[in-house]
Structures are given as structure tokens and as C-alpha cells.
């Protein structure tokens, strides 16, 4: 069987690559082993503002212009609702934070996302003596539902295999790629933190960042808005709320931990004063680069091996933009932005 592309991995990166390939009329086969869960368990929040420092996340305003229409087009394709718009209310902890917020509202590229008014939320179970700042043009994508639906779409087309990818069976010969019974023009690796096992890209300084969420049920809370304090509290409906996330640079295990659960419970109790119960907990390893920028591009030696990875906690916004840029590079020989080009680590490859 001859196809244009072999795609390894199917999280937010793999989905964006597959959709971009299909739009361009390329044939492809996907291998997915379900080992990486970060895209499925992610909050899916799209928010261009770093709410700890009130700064614009890297290129987030431009990514927003591409990514939201991308997911809206998937809603039509898959016939399911995926994109949910709502404002984030940042709970201030001091007058100093209020002042920093107002300074940020005057900054170029940032002001359009930050409301210049102080806001109150009429909820007896949340104390906010310093009020809230409202972040606009935010919301979330239901990543788990989207990935499940797209997997079914690919399965119906016989375009995805749910099995481990065996690197030893990958044969590079005469500018083409052979794997099992297939011949391909090129391979695109979208493995998330699993890239650490990839012998062709192990030289890249990918650092996993473990994130854990809990889902709580509280009939008393009756919160309608998304709150950001020390943690996010995201209403899910039916008295359920997603709370998170933790950031752990040391633990690379996929399992949930009691330490993270206790930390999240402690943090949410600092925000709300009513009873709640934990009904779920999930964990995933975010694929983050040492310089906190994605990695896309071509292998230093093998011209038909490519990588699209390293989105960290910004995969919802970055994925569609990075996929488009990589395919522009492959199809049309357009340049890749130096900030995300994996060529910035070529020296490490030859020292590896």
C-alpha cells in the first residue's frame, strides 16, 4: 500500500496534522498506541493571557485567529459541539494585583483581552474582597470529545491503527519510507511526551510537565463563571466543576497521585467555603521544550522524517497553527519561524 504520509501519535498535534493533510488532499495512515493522555485530559482552555503575570502568552493573539475557526470547522465536520465561549474571571489577591491588571490593559496586543472594569460575582460561597478582572475572548474546546469523534472518523476510513509503533521496522530507503506493508513519502511524528522514546528525535530537549485535574461535585456552589485564582474552577454543568491543574517537572509517571489531589483540594478550599466531593481525577504529561516553544520541522539528516511537538499547556491554541506551518514547509517549501524550527537544536543532534 502506498500513501503520502505516515502519522505517528494522535493527540492535539496528530489531529491538527491529519486535518491539514486531508484539506490538502494527501493520503495518510495514523498509528496510535494510547500511551499519551495529556490531550485527552487537558482542560482545553483557550486563553491568550498568562494570568499569573498579566502578560500575553507567546503569539497567542495570532494563534487565536487561526485555531478557533479550525475547531469550529471541525464542529461542522464531526456534527458535534466542541467550542464553548465564556469569560475568565481572575480573582485578585491584593490591591497590587489590581494595579498590575490596569497597567496591563494599556499594553499593545493585550488590552483587547482585559476588561478595564473591576467585577463582582454574587456568590456567597466565594470570598473575593479585591474583586475580579474579566478576561475576554476565552473559552474551552472539548478535547476529549473531539479526539474521540475524530478517531472514529479515521477508523471509518481505515486510516488509523491502534497499536504500538515499532521504530525498528521503519526503513528509510531511496528518499522514501517503508513500514510494515506500507510505503510512504514521509513520516510526521506527533507523539507528545512519547517522543522521548523515539530514536530519531531523542536528542531534542523535551521536558515533560505532569498535570493533574480533579472533578468535584458541589450542589451548593452554583457557580456559572470560570474562576482563576490559585487554580482554575471550570463549571461543567450538573453541579460538576473541573479544578486544576498541577505542574510537576519531576514526576513523569502517568498515574494520578494523592499528593496532587490533596494540593488541589487545599487550593480550592482557599477559594470556596462550601462542601464538595471529588468524583474524578486525571493526569497527563505535557510535552514541553526547554525553551517553552514548539518544535516543528525536518530531521537534521533524514529528509523524510518530520516532527510536530512540544506544545506544553498551549496545545489547543498552538496545534492548528503549527500543523499549517509544517505542511506549508513540506508542500510549498515555505520557511519555518526560527523560534519553533527544530533546527535550533541541530548542534545537539551531532553531539548526541
Amino acid at each position: 500500500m502506498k500513501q503520502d504520509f505516515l502519522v505517528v501519535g494522535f493527540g492535539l498535534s496528530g489531529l491538527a496534522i491529519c486535518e491539514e493533510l486531508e484539506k490538502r488532499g494527501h493520503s495518510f495512515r495514523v498509528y496510535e498506541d494510547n500511551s499519551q493522555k495529556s490531550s485527552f485530559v487537558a482542560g482545553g482552555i483557550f486563553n491568550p493571557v498568562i494570568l499569573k503575570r498579566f502578560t500575553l502568552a507567546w503569539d497567542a493573539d495570532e494563534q487565536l485567529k487561526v485555531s478557533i475557526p479550525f475547531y469550529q470547522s471541525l464542529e461542522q465536520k464531526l456534527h458535534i459541539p466542541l467550542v464553548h465561549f465564556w469569560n475568565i474571571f481572575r480573582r485578585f489577591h491584593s490591591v497590587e494585583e489590581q494595579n498590575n491588571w490596569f497597567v496591563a490593559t494599556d499594553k499593545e496586543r493585550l488590552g483587547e483581552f482585559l476588561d478595564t472594569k473591576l467585577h463582582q460575582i454574587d456568590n456567597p460561597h466565594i470570598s473575593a474582597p479585591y474583586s475580579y478582572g474579566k478576561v475576554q475572548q476565552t473559552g474551552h474546546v472539548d478535547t476529549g470529545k473531539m479526539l474521540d469523534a475524530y478517531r472514529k472518523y479515521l477508523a471509518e476510513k481505515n486510516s488509523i491503527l491502534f497499536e504500538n509503533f515499532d521504530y525498528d521496522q521503519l526503513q528509510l530507503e531511496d528518499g522514501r519510507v517503508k513500514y510494515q506493508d506500507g510505503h510512504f513519502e514521509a513520516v510526521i511524528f506527533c507523539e507528545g511526551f512519547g517522543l522521548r522514546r523515539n530514536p530519531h528525535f531523542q536528542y531534542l530537549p523535551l521536558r515533560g510537565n505532569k498535570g493533574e485535574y480533579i472533578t468535584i461535585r458541589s450542589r451548593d456552589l452554583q457557580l456559572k463563571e470560570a474562576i482563576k485564582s490559585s487554580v482554575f474552577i471550570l463549571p461543567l454543568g450538573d453541579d460538576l466543576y473541573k479544578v486544576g491543574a498541577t505542574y510537576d517537572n519531576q514526576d513523569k509517571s502517568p498515574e494520578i497521585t494523592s499528593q496532587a489531589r490533596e494540593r488541589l483540594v487545599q487550593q480550592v478550599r482557599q477559594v470556596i467555603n462550601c462542601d464538595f466531593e471529588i468524583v474524578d481525577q486525571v493526569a497527563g504529561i505535557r510535552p514541553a521544550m526547554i525553551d517553552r516553544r514548539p518544535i516543528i520541522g525536518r530531521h537534521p539528516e533524514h529528509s523524510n522524517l518530520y516532527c510536530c511537538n512540544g506544545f506544553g499547556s498551549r496545545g489547543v491554541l498552538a496545534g492548528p497553527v503549527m500543523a499549517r506551518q509544517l505542511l506549508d514547509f513540506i508542500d510549498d517549501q515555505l520557511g519555518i519561524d526560527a523560534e519553533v524550527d527544530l533546527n535550533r537544536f541541530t548542534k545537539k543532534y551531532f553531539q548526541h
Side-chain angles (χ1 to χ4, degrees):
M1 182 181 296
K2 179 181 177 182
Q3 292 177 302
D4 295 335
F5 287 89
L6 173 59
V7 180
V8 182
F10 189 77
L12 290 173
S13 173
L15 182 149
I17 287 291
C18 289
E19 183 66 5
E20 195 67 32
L21 288 171
E22 187 162 273
K23 286 179 182 177
R24 296 168 186 243
H26 290 300
S27 59
F28 58 89
R29 181 194 295 179
V30 182
Y31 280 83
E32 165 64 8
D33 66 2
N34 297 314
S35 65
Q36 302 303 312
K37 302 295 185 182
S38 62
S39 292
F40 278 88
V41 306
I45 295 171
F46 54 89
N47 166 32
V49 183
I50 298 174
L51 290 176
K52 186 176 182 179
R53 300 187 296 273
F54 309 145
T55 56
L56 185 71
W58 170 77
D59 212 27
D61 53 344
E62 296 302 317
Q63 293 171 357
L64 198 64
K65 297 174 185 176
V66 174
S67 299
I68 301 309
F70 174 88
Y71 297 118
Q72 289 173 327
S73 71
L74 283 182
E75 288 183 312
Q76 302 301 314
K77 178 173 183 169
L78 302 173
H79 308 293
I80 53 175
L82 296 172
V83 183
H84 307 277
F85 293 95
W86 35 259
N87 299 312
I88 296 172
F89 287 84
R90 169 61 155 83
R91 179 173 173 264
F92 295 130
H93 300 92
S94 65
V95 172
E96 182 182 9
E97 278 198 338
Q98 289 180 344
N99 292 335
N100 291 340
W101 176 274
F102 289 123
V103 170
T105 61
D106 287 330
K107 292 183 179 179
E108 186 180 0
R109 298 176 63 186
L110 185 60
E112 65 176 298
F113 303 111
L114 305 181
D115 195 323
T116 56
K117 302 175 184 176
L118 291 176
H119 290 263
Q120 294 286 344
I121 294 177
D122 185 18
N123 189 310
H125 298 296
I126 301 180
S127 174
Y130 299 101
S131 303
Y132 299 85
K134 184 172 74 172
V135 190
Q136 303 164 135
Q137 301 184 46
T138 60
H140 82 281
V141 176
D142 194 330
T143 56
K145 182 189 292 184
M146 177 177 66
L147 290 165
D148 279 336
Y150 207 101
R151 282 181 169 195
K152 292 176 183 176
Y153 169 77
L154 293 177
E156 290 171 359
K157 298 176 57 179
N158 295 316
S159 296
I160 188 168
L161 293 172
F162 297 101
E163 59 184 66
N164 292 329
F165 184 81
D166 186 353
Y167 302 104
D168 292 335
Q169 291 192 48
L170 186 65
Q171 301 176 37
L172 308 177
E173 51 187 33
D174 299 327
R176 293 186 179 243
V177 177
K178 184 176 186 301
Y179 184 76
Q180 295 181 346
D181 65 340
H183 292 80
F184 307 88
E185 295 293 331
V187 186
I188 303 177
F189 291 102
C190 306
E191 301 165 286
F193 189 63
L195 192 72
R196 291 284 294 268
R197 302 190 305 265
N198 188 320
H200 301 290
F201 290 100
Q202 280 181 334
Y203 72 95
L204 292 169
L206 187 68
R207 295 184 173 180
N209 185 311
K210 185 172 183 176
E212 299 190 49
Y213 288 89
I214 58 174
T215 300
I216 64 172
R217 176 182 286 115
S218 174
R219 292 180 174 83
D220 295 330
L221 184 54
Q222 297 297 304
L223 179 65
K224 305 301 182 184
E225 298 83 4
I227 300 293
K228 174 65 173 77
S229 185
S230 54
V231 289
F232 261 107
I233 304 176
L234 176 63
L236 301 175
D238 298 324
D239 296 325
L240 297 174
Y241 304 87
K242 194 165 191 174
V243 176
T246 60
Y247 289 82
D248 190 334
N249 293 318
Q250 304 302 316
D251 182 9
K252 302 300 190 295
S253 66
E255 294 82 17
I256 61 173
T257 64
S258 59
Q259 293 91 337
R261 181 171 61 253
E262 291 167 4
R263 189 181 315 132
L264 290 171
V265 167
Q266 181 182 31
Q267 289 175 317
V268 77
R269 280 180 174 156
Q270 292 173 353
V271 181
I272 68 175
N273 60 15
C274 57
D275 292 335
F276 61 88
E277 61 174 326
I278 300 172
V279 297
D280 193 22
Q281 182 176 353
V282 292
I285 311 296
R286 308 177 189 92
M289 296 302 296
I290 191 172
D291 60 0
R292 299 186 179 183
R293 294 289 183 268
I295 41 169
I296 64 173
R298 178 187 288 145
H299 189 275
E301 286 192 301
H302 303 297
S303 62
N304 44 17
L305 298 185
Y306 297 88
C307 176
C308 186
N309 209 318
F311 300 161
S313 61
R314 296 278 168 176
V316 166
L317 285 179
V321 179
M322 294 300 103
R324 178 184 294 184
Q325 191 172 152
L326 179 58
L327 268 296
D328 282 344
F329 172 72
I330 296 172
D331 284 346
D332 305 317
Q333 291 75 54
L334 298 182
I336 295 176
D337 291 345
E339 279 189 289
V340 300
D341 194 332
L342 62 78
N343 279 343
R344 67 192 191 271
F345 299 115
T346 295
K347 184 182 293 185
K348 288 184 176 292
Y349 174 76
F350 291 105
Q351 293 173 346
H352 188 64

